[in-house]
Amino acid sequence: MVNYRYLGNSGFKISEITYGNWVTHASQVGDEAAIATVHKALDLGITTFDTADAYANTAAEVVLAKALQGQQRENLEIFTKVYWPIGKKGPNDTGLSRKHIMDGIHGSLRRLEVDYVDLYQAHRYDYETPLEETMQAFADIVRQGKALYIGVSEWTAEQLRDGAALAKELGFQLVSNQPQYSALWRVIEAKVIPTSQELGISQIVWSPMAQGVLTGKYLPGQPVPDGSRATDEKSGANFIKRFLRDEVLDAVQKLKPIADEAGITVPQLSLAWVLHNPNIAAALVGASRPEQLEDTVKASDITLDDATYAAVNEALRGVAVTDPQETYSVSPATRVG
């Protein structure tokens, strides 16, 4: 069974294991496999689905719509995002200007075949558009009923504070932030999480298993497994490289006896570690095959005790990234998680 958590300081509940289709739909897997995986997610109790207009240059939204055909809309929570350029990538086809946001929401609603999205997210912070303009556009979208809630992705603590203040003035609230977070990537713990707790903002975290490294399938000194994300040059290969160092992989292998002691798998341990933090509303998981979800969704029913949580931290001490100043190892063009 997949449990639910409130999103921010709102009455809106989402499944704490949320299905995301960043590098899978219309990219890593074909439509038939993508649709089968979404159907499996539904069968397992996942009702929350996260996508973005930039994923596969709009095609991921289209595939998700196909996969959700026939489902009762009121029983689903559908998220999408705006910021990155899509389509012909013209001069106004990027960022968080009023024009791009309005074009973005209309395009996403058309592709997703819905009248509204539950959560509309700023996919990054726009340094070139006045924040007032961005937040006014989001306020108008909420009033028009095209999005029920507004969130952001990868905003700093200071940006969250400024955005939340403007949202309050305009009569709505920021309910979520979508950052990268895992036992190996903990940069939000220093500032973003404490600020979010103060402001009533939850985290919906992406890459909770560090692009698959925290499953334990990548072994130190060994070639990466055939068909894994590390071999897919079109999607995850560049991103995962930062974790494919022997000292990291050696540390990850220490998680197996911890998981065995708890009677769970290493992927379940990694997801349960993320969900141990009360500011995390959901962990985003993807899958290229339906059966991959059967193991991971069980993490929703696992509550780690403090000793197990501490054991994970100790195993990864020295290799987990905790510095908020740490930058990504990939170019901006590929940072669309």
Side-chain angles (χ1 to χ4, degrees):
M1 182 184 73
V2 178
N3 296 312
Y4 285 76
R5 297 188 179 190
Y6 286 105
L7 191 59
N9 186 24
S10 77
F12 180 44
K13 297 178 183 178
I14 65 173
S15 52
E16 62 182 17
I17 303 294
T18 290
Y19 184 91
N21 71 349
W22 169 25
V23 293
T24 50
H25 294 187
S27 178
Q28 202 176 58
V29 300
D31 288 5
E32 185 175 337
I35 291 169
T37 306
V38 169
H39 290 174
K40 185 65 170 182
L42 290 164
D43 290 343
L44 292 170
I46 294 174
T47 61
T48 309
F49 296 87
D50 179 87
T51 187
D53 58 4
Y55 295 169
N57 197 26
T58 72
E61 288 183 326
V62 174
V63 175
L64 182 60
K66 291 179 181 177
L68 294 176
Q69 284 179 357
Q71 299 295 319
Q72 287 187 292
R73 177 65 184 92
E74 61 269 26
N75 293 334
L76 301 173
E77 302 84 44
I78 299 175
F79 304 167
T80 193
K81 312 179 191 74
V82 62
Y83 175 87
W84 298 102
I86 58 172
K88 295 183 178 180
K89 302 181 181 179
N92 288 304
D93 194 18
T94 191
L96 299 175
S97 69
R98 181 178 182 84
K99 176 173 174 55
H100 187 52
I101 289 174
M102 290 301 180
D103 287 343
I105 188 64
H106 293 144
S108 288
L109 294 179
R110 183 178 65 253
R111 289 184 293 271
L112 289 166
E113 300 179 26
V114 294
D115 295 325
Y116 69 92
V117 293
D118 296 275
L119 181 70
Y120 199 42
Q121 301 161 96
H123 210 158
R124 286 298 184 272
Y125 186 85
D126 186 352
Y127 292 91
E128 298 181 354
T129 298
L131 185 58
E132 292 82 359
E133 177 180 342
T134 295
M135 302 310 287
Q136 181 64 67
F138 282 138
D140 290 344
I141 284 172
V142 170
R143 290 192 180 95
Q144 293 165 8
K146 295 171 183 175
L148 303 186
Y149 299 91
I150 299 297
V152 299
S153 177
E154 292 289 1
W155 282 27
T156 67
E158 293 77 14
Q159 291 162 357
L160 289 171
R161 189 176 298 281
D162 292 343
L166 277 171
K168 186 175 182 179
E169 288 180 17
L170 292 164
F172 73 102
Q173 61 177 324
L174 287 185
V175 295
S176 64
N177 181 42
Q178 189 175 128
Q180 181 184 179
Y181 185 60
S182 71
L184 282 174
W185 188 272
R186 302 175 58 171
V187 299
I188 63 172
E189 290 180 346
K191 295 182 179 180
V192 169
I193 285 181
T195 299
S196 296
Q197 289 172 325
E198 175 191 340
L199 297 173
I201 293 172
S202 292
Q203 314 302 314
I204 304 167
V205 301
W206 58 276
S207 196
M209 290 189 284
Q211 298 292 291
V213 171
L214 284 169
T215 65
K217 68 182 178 182
Y218 296 97
L219 302 175
Q222 300 294 318
V224 297
D226 291 338
S228 67
R229 184 163 296 177
T231 66
D232 188 354
E233 297 296 334
K234 294 186 298 182
S235 56
N238 284 333
F239 186 85
I240 201 174
K241 285 179 181 177
R242 72 174 307 123
F243 298 122
L244 296 180
R245 308 191 312 272
D246 278 355
E247 61 267 31
V248 174
L249 300 181
D250 280 329
V252 170
Q253 292 305 305
K254 298 176 184 177
L255 300 181
K256 181 66 164 60
I258 299 172
D260 289 344
E261 177 68 21
I264 58 180
T265 67
V266 174
Q268 290 167 359
L269 175 67
S270 300
L271 286 173
W273 182 94
V274 165
L275 294 171
H276 186 80
N277 190 313
N279 190 237
I280 309 301
L284 285 170
V285 301
S288 55
R289 302 186 308 277
E291 58 269 21
Q292 291 175 326
L293 291 172
E294 293 179 357
D295 182 72
T296 55
V297 297
K298 294 176 183 176
S300 183
D301 274 333
I302 297 168
T303 301
L304 294 187
D305 57 44
D306 291 341
T308 304
Y309 182 78
V312 173
N313 294 341
E314 182 60 30
L316 302 179
R317 186 181 302 278
V319 298
V321 180
T322 59
D323 184 359
Q325 301 304 313
E326 180 74 19
T327 57
Y328 294 93
S329 62
V330 293
S331 66
T334 62
R335 293 205 308 263
V336 291

